[in-house]
Each structure stands twice: as structure tokens, then as C-alpha cells.
């Protein structure tokens, strides 16, 4: 039996190609066995870049042929529910991006189907794991173990960034000490 986790992908769009394919390609214990996208141009470009042989426009055919352990379903939330429930019913461990649905009801049912099929469901709430937030959380918890509400403001401060959303502004010492670059 291989030590690698066999992973399939539905979606070769913006977020998937910017973040998830490069991350998985870096992991020795992952075998990327199939990619499915309705857009064949994106499908071919992504599969070529990561040397993936399994290329599909029908995710059910992909699952049947490649027999993955887990599947990434990366697309906007309004397309997510039916695909996710179907994959959970096929007994696949799944990863979806945030937000995992367009209503709380959808998300509750995703969790129920994961439980019923005894598989793992994961949502990419990546901000929960970034160093600056875990650092701040530890600092707050050092003073109190009864945090009831947190209000945070997140400034993007890359020195080369342009545009109204990406303002160049000085970082606070707290952000610098958590390993973020200071703005010039
Ligand atoms: N975690 C973060 O910080 C963060 C940041 C930005 C975006 N996101 C999330 O990422 C998600 C968007 O991902 P994206 O940018 O890769 O999406 P995208 O719209 O660029 O790509 C989706 C792809 O899925 C394909 N597709 C749609 N339905 C399909 C089907 N039934 N079968 C096969 N392929 C199908 C489309 O052809 C498209 O190529 C959103 O949920 C968004 O909220 C998260």
C-alpha cells in the first residue's frame, strides 16, 4: 500500500491554481491523480503544469477511474453544495474553500453527510492559522481564558501593492514581530 494520499481536484480556477495546486505539489505524501474542469483550456493548462495524467470534464468519471482518498472541490459557493454532497456520499474526504455554502442550512447538511459517511470534511479557513492571528490569540489568552468577542481589523500592507484596497501603511510592532514584512 502506498504511503501517499491520492487526491483529485474539481476546479482549475483562480484560487485553486494560485494556492492549492502549488501547495499539494510540494507535499511528498500527496499523489495528485486527477483533475476535472468543465473548461478544457484551464484543465489542460493546470494538468500540464503539474504533470497530472488524469484529465476529466465529468467528476464522477474521475472518481470512478482514479479511486481517490480525498477530493478538493474549489469553486464559488453557489456551485458547491450538490458536488460536495455527491462526493461525501461517494465516501470521499473533502476539502472546500470558504465560504462552504450560501446558507447555514447547506453547511449543516454538508457536516451531517460527512458524519454519516464517516469521512473528513475540511474548509479552508486559512486566516485562522496565519502566524499573526495565532500570535495575537496566544497574547489575548495569556490575559484571559474567557474571551467572548473579538473584533479585528486586517490591513493589507505589501509595500509594492497598488489600488484602494491595498494601502501602503506602516505595520505595528506586533505584526512585525509575528514575521510580517514592514511597509517601506
Ligand atoms: N481562503 C481564502 O483566503 C480565499 C481567497 C479567495 C477566494 N477564496 C474562495 O475560493 C473559491 C473560488 O475558487 P476559484 O477562484 O478557484 O474559483 P473559479 O471560479 O476561478 O474556478 C472554478 C472552476 O470550477 C470549474 N467548475 C465549475 N463547476 C464545475 C463542475 N461541475 N465540474 C467541473 N468543473 C467545474 C469552472 O469551470 C472553473 O474553472 C471561492 O469559494 C472563494 O470564496 C478563498
Amino acid at each position: 500500500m502506498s504511503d501517499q494520499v491520492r487526491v483529485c481536484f474539481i476546479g482549475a480556477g483562480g484560487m485553486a491554481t494560485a494556492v492549492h495546486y502549488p501547495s499539494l505539489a510540494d507535499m511528498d505524501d500527496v499523489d495528485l491523480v486527477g483533475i476535472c474542469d468543465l473548461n478544457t483550456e484551464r484543465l489542460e493548462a493546470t494538468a500540464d503544469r503539474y504533470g497530472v495524467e488524469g484529465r476529466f470534464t465529468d467528476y464522477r468519471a474521475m472518481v470512478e477511474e482514479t479511486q481517490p482518498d480525498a477530493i478538493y472541490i474549489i469553486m464559488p459557493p453557489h456551485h458547491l453544495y450538490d458536488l460536495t454532497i455527491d462526493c461525501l456520499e461517494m465516501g470521499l474526504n473533502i476539502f472546500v474553500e470558504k465560504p462552504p455554502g450560501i446558507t447555514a442550512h447547506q453547511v449543516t447538511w454538508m457536516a451531517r453527510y460527512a458524519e454519516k459517511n464517516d469521512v473528513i470534511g475540511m474548509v479552508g479557513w486559512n486566516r485562522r492559522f496565519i502566524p499573526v492571528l495565532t500570535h495575537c490569540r496566544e497574547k489575548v489568552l495569556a490575559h484571559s481564558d474567557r474571551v467572548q468577542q473579538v473584533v479585528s481589523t486586517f490591513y493589507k500592507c505589501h509595500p509594492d501593492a497598488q489600488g484602494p484596497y491595498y494601502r501602503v501603511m506602516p505595520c505595528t510592532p506586533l505584526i512585525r514581530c509575528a514575521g510580517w514584512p514592514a511597509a517601506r
Side-chain angles (χ1 to χ4, degrees):
M1 206 172 101
S2 166
D3 286 341
Q4 287 184 306
V5 180
R6 294 171 64 80
V7 177
C8 269
F9 246 91
I10 311 176
M15 184 65 184
T17 50
V19 175
H20 295 297
Y21 287 102
S23 301
L24 289 175
D26 242 18
M27 298 179 194
D28 294 335
D29 54 355
V30 169
D31 187 9
L32 199 49
V33 291
I35 301 180
C36 171
D37 202 302
L38 299 174
N39 180 318
T40 51
E41 206 176 308
R42 286 185 206 154
L43 170 64
E44 295 298 334
T46 307
D48 283 348
R49 190 174 317 139
Y50 295 100
V52 178
E53 278 178 30
R55 304 171 186 205
F56 302 84
T57 50
D58 176 343
Y59 71 93
R60 287 184 180 153
M62 173 172 73
V63 170
E64 192 168 325
E65 198 168 307
T66 61
Q67 296 290 310
D69 303 305
I71 191 158
Y72 275 56
I73 310 168
I74 308 295
M75 60 192 60
H78 49 282
H79 293 313
L80 210 50
Y81 184 75
D82 289 346
L83 296 179
T84 303
I85 295 294
D86 205 22
C87 289
L88 291 169
E89 284 284 74
M90 288 192 273
L92 297 170
N93 301 293
I94 60 140
F95 179 98
V96 298
E97 262 298 345
K98 69 172 175 66
I102 51 173
T103 64
H105 186 75
Q106 284 191 343
V107 182
T108 301
W109 278 98
M110 287 178 182
R112 285 185 185 160
Y113 272 85
E115 201 170 10
K116 173 183 152 218
N117 291 292
D118 196 21
V119 295
I120 300 168
M122 170 82 188
V123 181
W125 302 113
N126 49 323
R127 303 277 184 222
R128 289 188 186 170
F129 307 106
I130 61 175
V132 71
L133 285 193
T134 53
H135 180 83
C136 291
R137 182 172 182 273
E138 279 162 22
K139 289 218 159 225
V140 170
L141 290 178
H143 295 285
S144 167
D145 59 357
R146 299 191 50 156
V147 179
Q148 290 179 334
Q149 186 184 9
V150 175
V151 178
S152 65
T153 305
F154 179 70
Y155 294 105
K156 294 197 174 187
C157 55
H158 191 280
D160 301 324
Q162 301 293 327
Y165 186 49
Y166 292 86
R167 295 259 155 74
V168 174
M169 55 193 314
C171 293
T172 65
L174 181 62
I175 290 173
R176 270 207 296 277
C177 80
W180 279 30
R184 276 181 221 130

